[in-house]
Coordinates of all heavy atoms in Angstrom, one line a residue:
T454 N -0.4 42.9 30.0 CA 0.3 44.2 30.1 C 0.2 44.8 31.5 O 1.0 45.4 32.1 CB -0.2 45.2 29.0 OG1 0.0 44.5 27.7 CG2 0.6 46.5 29.1
E455 N -1.0 44.7 32.0 CA -1.3 45.1 33.4 C -0.5 44.3 34.4 O -0.1 44.9 35.4 CB -2.9 45.0 33.7 CG -3.7 45.9 32.9 CD -5.2 45.6 33.1 OE1 -5.5 44.7 33.9 OE2 -6.0 46.1 32.3
L456 N -0.3 43.0 34.2 CA 0.4 42.3 35.1 C 2.0 42.5 35.0 O 2.7 42.6 36.0 CB 0.2 40.8 34.8 CG 0.9 39.7 35.7 CD1 0.4 39.7 37.1 CD2 0.8 38.3 35.1
L457 N 2.5 42.6 33.8 CA 3.9 42.6 33.5 C 4.6 44.0 33.1 O 5.7 44.2 33.1 CB 4.4 41.6 32.5 CG 4.1 40.1 32.9 CD1 4.5 39.2 31.7 CD2 4.9 39.7 34.1
G458 N 3.6 44.9 32.8 CA 4.2 46.2 32.3 C 4.2 46.3 30.8 O 3.6 45.6 30.1
K459 N 5.0 47.2 30.3 CA 5.1 47.4 28.9 C 5.7 46.3 28.2 O 6.8 45.7 28.6 CB 6.0 48.7 28.7 CG 6.2 49.1 27.3 CD 7.1 50.4 27.2 CE 7.3 50.9 25.8 NZ 8.2 49.9 25.1
P460 N 5.1 45.8 27.1 CA 5.7 44.7 26.3 C 6.9 45.3 25.5 O 6.9 46.5 25.3 CB 4.6 44.3 25.4 CG 3.6 45.5 25.3 CD 3.7 46.2 26.6
R461 N 7.8 44.3 25.1 CA 8.9 44.7 24.4 C 8.6 44.9 22.9 O 7.9 44.1 22.3 CB 10.0 43.6 24.4 CG 11.2 44.0 23.6 CD 12.2 42.8 23.8 NE 13.3 42.9 22.6 CZ 13.3 42.3 21.5 NH1 12.3 41.4 21.3 NH2 14.2 42.5 20.6
Q462 N 9.0 46.0 22.3 CA 8.8 46.2 20.9 C 10.0 45.4 20.2 O 11.1 45.2 20.7 CB 9.0 47.7 20.5 CG 7.8 48.5 21.1 CD 7.9 50.0 20.8 OE1 8.9 50.4 20.1 NE2 6.9 50.7 21.2
R463 N 9.6 45.1 18.9 CA 10.5 44.0 18.2 C 11.9 44.5 18.1 O 12.8 43.8 18.1 CB 9.9 43.7 16.8 CG 10.6 42.5 16.3 CD 9.8 42.0 15.0 NE 10.5 40.9 14.4 CZ 10.4 39.6 14.9 NH1 9.6 39.3 15.9 NH2 11.0 38.6 14.3
N464 N 12.1 45.8 17.8 CA 13.5 46.4 17.6 C 14.1 46.9 18.8 O 15.2 47.6 18.8 CB 13.4 47.5 16.5 CG 13.1 46.9 15.2 OD1 13.5 45.8 14.8 ND2 12.2 47.6 14.4
E465 N 13.4 46.8 20.0 CA 13.9 47.2 21.3 C 15.0 46.4 21.8 O 14.9 45.2 21.7 CB 12.7 47.4 22.3 CG 13.1 47.9 23.7 CD 11.9 47.9 24.6 OE1 10.8 47.6 24.1 OE2 12.2 48.1 25.8
S466 N 16.0 47.0 22.4 CA 17.0 46.1 23.0 C 16.5 45.3 24.1 O 15.6 45.7 24.9 CB 18.2 47.1 23.6 OG 18.8 47.8 22.5
I467 N 17.1 44.2 24.2 CA 16.7 43.2 25.3 C 17.4 43.6 26.6 O 18.6 43.7 26.7 CB 17.0 41.8 25.0 CG1 16.2 41.3 23.8 CG2 16.8 40.8 26.1 CD1 16.5 39.9 23.2
N468 N 16.6 43.8 27.7 CA 17.2 44.2 29.0 C 16.9 43.0 30.0 O 16.4 42.0 29.6 CB 16.6 45.6 29.5 CG 15.0 45.5 29.6 OD1 14.4 44.5 30.0 ND2 14.4 46.6 29.4
Q469 N 17.3 43.3 31.2 CA 17.4 42.2 32.2 C 15.9 41.9 32.6 O 15.6 40.7 32.8 CB 18.1 42.7 33.6 CG 18.2 41.6 34.6 CD 19.0 40.3 34.0 OE1 20.1 40.5 33.4 NE2 18.5 39.2 34.2
R470 N 15.0 42.8 32.5 CA 13.6 42.5 32.8 C 13.0 41.6 31.8 O 12.3 40.6 32.1 CB 12.8 43.9 32.8 CG 11.3 43.6 32.9 CD 10.5 45.0 32.9 NE 9.1 44.9 32.6 CZ 8.7 44.9 31.3 NH1 9.5 45.3 30.3 NH2 7.4 44.9 31.1
H471 N 13.3 41.7 30.5 CA 12.9 40.7 29.5 C 13.4 39.4 29.7 O 12.8 38.4 29.6 CB 13.3 41.3 28.1 CG 12.8 42.6 27.7 ND1 13.6 43.5 27.1 CD2 11.6 43.2 27.9 CE1 12.9 44.7 26.9 NE2 11.7 44.4 27.4
K472 N 14.6 39.3 30.1 CA 15.3 38.0 30.4 C 14.6 37.4 31.7 O 14.5 36.1 31.6 CB 16.8 38.2 30.7 CG 17.7 38.8 29.6 CD 19.1 39.1 30.0 CE 19.9 39.7 28.8 NZ 21.2 40.2 29.3
D473 N 14.3 38.2 32.6 CA 13.6 37.7 33.9 C 12.2 37.1 33.5 O 11.8 36.0 34.0 CB 13.6 38.7 35.0 CG 15.0 39.1 35.4 OD1 16.0 38.5 35.2 OD2 15.0 40.2 36.1
I474 N 11.5 37.7 32.6 CA 10.2 37.3 32.2 C 10.4 36.0 31.5 O 9.6 35.0 31.6 CB 9.5 38.4 31.3 CG1 9.1 39.6 32.1 CG2 8.3 37.7 30.6 CD1 8.6 40.7 31.3
A475 N 11.4 35.9 30.5 CA 11.6 34.7 29.9 C 12.0 33.5 30.8 O 11.5 32.4 30.8 CB 12.7 34.7 28.9
F476 N 12.8 33.8 31.8 CA 13.2 32.8 32.9 C 12.0 32.3 33.6 O 11.8 31.0 33.7 CB 14.1 33.5 33.8 CG 14.5 32.6 35.0 CD1 15.6 31.7 34.9 CD2 13.8 32.7 36.2 CE1 15.9 31.0 36.1 CE2 14.1 32.0 37.3 CZ 15.1 31.1 37.2
A477 N 11.1 33.2 34.1 CA 9.9 32.8 34.8 C 8.9 32.0 34.0 O 8.3 31.0 34.4 CB 9.3 34.1 35.4
S478 N 8.9 32.4 32.7 CA 8.0 31.7 31.7 C 8.4 30.3 31.5 O 7.6 29.4 31.5 CB 7.8 32.5 30.4 OG 7.4 33.8 30.7
Q479 N 9.7 30.0 31.3 CA 10.2 28.8 31.0 C 10.0 27.9 32.3 O 9.7 26.7 32.2 CB 11.7 28.9 30.7 CG 12.5 27.5 30.5 CD 12.0 26.8 29.2 OE1 11.5 27.4 28.3 NE2 12.2 25.5 29.3
K480 N 10.3 28.4 33.5 CA 10.1 27.7 34.7 C 8.7 27.3 34.9 O 8.5 26.1 35.3 CB 10.7 28.5 35.8 CG 10.8 27.8 37.2 CD 11.4 28.6 38.3 CE 11.4 27.9 39.5 NZ 11.9 28.6 40.7
K481 N 7.8 28.2 34.8 CA 6.4 27.9 34.8 C 6.0 26.8 33.9 O 5.2 25.9 34.2 CB 5.5 29.1 34.6 CG 5.2 30.1 35.9 CD 4.5 29.1 36.9 CE 4.2 30.1 38.1 NZ 3.8 29.5 39.3
F482 N 6.4 27.0 32.6 CA 6.0 26.0 31.7 C 6.5 24.5 32.0 O 5.7 23.6 32.0 CB 6.7 26.3 30.3 CG 6.5 25.2 29.2 CD1 5.3 25.1 28.5 CD2 7.5 24.4 28.9 CE1 5.2 24.1 27.5 CE2 7.4 23.5 28.1 CZ 6.2 23.3 27.3
E483 N 7.8 24.5 32.5 CA 8.4 23.2 32.9 C 7.7 22.6 34.0 O 7.3 21.4 34.0 CB 9.8 23.4 33.3 CG 10.7 23.7 32.1 CD 12.1 24.1 32.5 OE1 12.4 24.1 33.7 OE2 13.0 24.4 31.6
E484 N 7.2 23.4 35.0 CA 6.5 22.9 36.2 C 5.2 22.4 35.9 O 4.7 21.3 36.3 CB 6.3 24.1 37.3 CG 7.7 24.5 37.9 CD 7.5 25.7 38.8 OE1 6.4 26.4 38.7 OE2 8.4 26.1 39.5
A485 N 4.5 23.1 35.0 CA 3.2 22.7 34.5 C 3.2 21.3 33.7 O 2.4 20.4 33.9 CB 2.5 23.8 33.7
A486 N 4.2 21.3 32.8 CA 4.3 20.1 32.0 C 4.6 18.9 32.8 O 4.2 17.7 32.5 CB 5.3 20.3 30.9
V487 N 5.5 19.0 33.9 CA 5.9 18.0 34.7 C 4.6 17.4 35.4 O 4.6 16.2 35.7 CB 7.0 18.4 35.7 CG1 7.1 17.4 36.9 CG2 8.3 18.5 35.0
T488 N 3.7 18.2 35.8 CA 2.5 17.7 36.4 C 1.8 16.7 35.5 O 1.2 15.8 36.1 CB 1.5 18.8 36.8 OG1 0.9 19.5 35.7 CG2 2.2 19.9 37.8
L489 N 1.7 17.0 34.2 CA 1.1 16.2 33.3 C 1.8 14.8 33.2 O 1.1 13.6 33.3 CB 1.0 16.8 31.8 CG 0.3 18.1 31.7 CD1 0.5 18.6 30.3 CD2 -1.2 17.8 31.9
I490 N 3.1 14.8 33.2 CA 3.9 13.7 33.1 C 3.8 12.9 34.4 O 3.6 11.5 34.3 CB 5.4 13.9 32.7 CG1 5.4 14.6 31.3 CG2 6.2 12.6 32.7 CD1 6.7 15.3 31.0
K491 N 3.8 13.4 35.5 CA 3.6 12.8 36.7 C 2.3 12.0 36.9 O 2.2 10.9 37.3 CB 3.8 13.7 38.0 CG 5.2 14.1 38.3 CD 5.2 15.0 39.5 CE 6.6 15.3 39.8 NZ 6.7 16.3 41.0
R492 N 1.2 12.8 36.4 CA -0.1 12.1 36.5 C -0.2 11.0 35.5 O -0.8 9.9 35.8 CB -1.2 13.2 36.2 CG -2.5 12.7 36.4 CD -3.7 13.8 36.5 NE -3.7 14.6 35.4 CZ -3.1 15.9 35.4 NH1 -2.5 16.3 36.4 NH2 -3.3 16.6 34.4
L493 N 0.4 11.1 34.4 CA 0.4 10.0 33.3 C 1.2 8.8 34.0 O 0.7 7.6 33.8 CB 1.0 10.5 32.0 CG 1.0 9.6 30.9 CD1 -0.4 9.0 30.6 CD2 1.6 10.1 29.7
Y494 N 2.3 9.0 34.6 CA 3.0 8.0 35.2 C 2.2 7.2 36.2 O 2.2 6.0 36.4 CB 4.3 8.5 35.8 CG 5.1 7.4 36.6 CD1 5.6 6.4 36.0 CD2 5.2 7.6 38.0 CE1 6.2 5.4 36.7 CE2 5.9 6.7 38.8 CZ 6.4 5.6 38.1 OH 7.1 4.6 38.9
K495 N 1.5 8.0 37.1 CA 0.6 7.4 38.1 C -0.4 6.6 37.5 O -0.9 5.5 38.1 CB 0.0 8.5 39.0 CG 1.0 9.2 39.9 CD 0.5 10.3 40.8 CE 1.5 11.0 41.6 NZ 0.9 12.1 42.4
K496 N -1.0 7.0 36.3 CA -2.0 6.1 35.8 C -1.6 4.9 35.1 O -2.3 3.9 34.8 CB -2.9 7.1 34.8 CG -3.6 8.1 35.5 CD -4.4 9.0 34.6 CE -5.3 10.0 35.2 NZ -6.1 10.9 34.2
T497 N -0.3 4.9 34.5 CA 0.2 3.8 33.7 C 1.3 3.0 34.4 O 1.4 1.9 33.9 CB 0.7 4.4 32.4 OG1 1.9 5.2 32.6 CG2 -0.3 5.3 31.6
G498 N 2.1 3.6 35.2 CA 3.3 2.9 35.7 C 4.3 2.7 34.8 O 5.3 2.0 35.0
L499 N 4.3 3.3 33.6 CA 5.3 3.1 32.5 C 6.5 4.1 32.7 O 6.3 5.2 33.2 CB 4.6 3.2 31.1 CG 3.5 2.4 30.8 CD1 2.8 2.7 29.4 CD2 4.0 0.8 30.7
R500 N 7.6 3.7 32.3 CA 8.8 4.4 32.6 C 9.5 4.9 31.4 O 10.6 5.6 31.5 CB 9.8 3.6 33.5 CG 9.2 3.2 34.8 CD 10.2 2.4 35.6 NE 11.3 3.2 36.0 CZ 11.4 4.0 37.2 NH1 10.4 4.0 38.0 NH2 12.5 4.7 37.5
K501 N 8.8 4.8 30.2 CA 9.5 5.3 29.0 C 8.4 6.3 28.4 O 7.2 6.1 28.5 CB 9.7 4.2 27.9 CG 10.8 3.2 28.4 CD 10.9 2.1 27.4 CE 12.0 1.2 27.9 NZ 12.3 -0.1 27.0
L502 N 9.0 7.4 27.9 CA 8.2 8.6 27.5 C 8.4 9.0 26.1 O 9.6 9.2 25.7 CB 8.5 9.7 28.5 CG 8.0 11.0 28.3 CD1 6.4 11.1 28.4 CD2 8.5 12.2 29.1
A503 N 7.3 9.1 25.3 CA 7.3 9.6 23.9 C 6.5 10.9 23.9 O 5.5 11.0 24.4 CB 6.8 8.6 23.0
I504 N 7.2 11.9 23.2 CA 6.6 13.2 23.2 C 6.6 13.8 21.8 O 7.4 13.6 21.0 CB 7.5 14.3 24.0 CG1 7.5 13.9 25.5 CG2 7.0 15.7 23.8 CD1 8.4 14.7 26.4
A505 N 5.4 14.5 21.5 CA 5.3 15.3 20.2 C 4.4 16.5 20.5 O 3.9 16.7 21.7 CB 4.7 14.4 19.1
G506 N 4.0 17.2 19.5 CA 3.4 18.5 19.7 C 4.4 19.6 19.7 O 5.6 19.4 20.1

Side-chain angles (χ1 to χ4, degrees):
T454 305
E455 293 169 7
L456 179 69
L457 295 178
K459 181 179 177 292
R461 174 180 170 264
Q462 295 180 355
R463 190 166 183 86
N464 293 324
E465 182 184 349
S466 297
I467 293 172
N468 59 35
Q469 189 60 48
R470 172 175 161 269
H471 302 137
K472 296 173 185 177
D473 295 346
I474 292 171
F476 173 87
S478 304
Q479 177 69 24
K480 187 176 180 181
K481 270 299 180 199
F482 171 82
E483 291 171 359
E484 290 173 352
V487 166
T488 67
L489 294 172
I490 297 168
K491 282 184 176 179
R492 188 161 58 259
L493 185 57
Y494 171 67
K495 288 178 181 178
K496 290 181 177 181
T497 66
L499 301 175
R500 301 180 65 89
K501 295 178 180 179
L502 174 64
I504 294 175

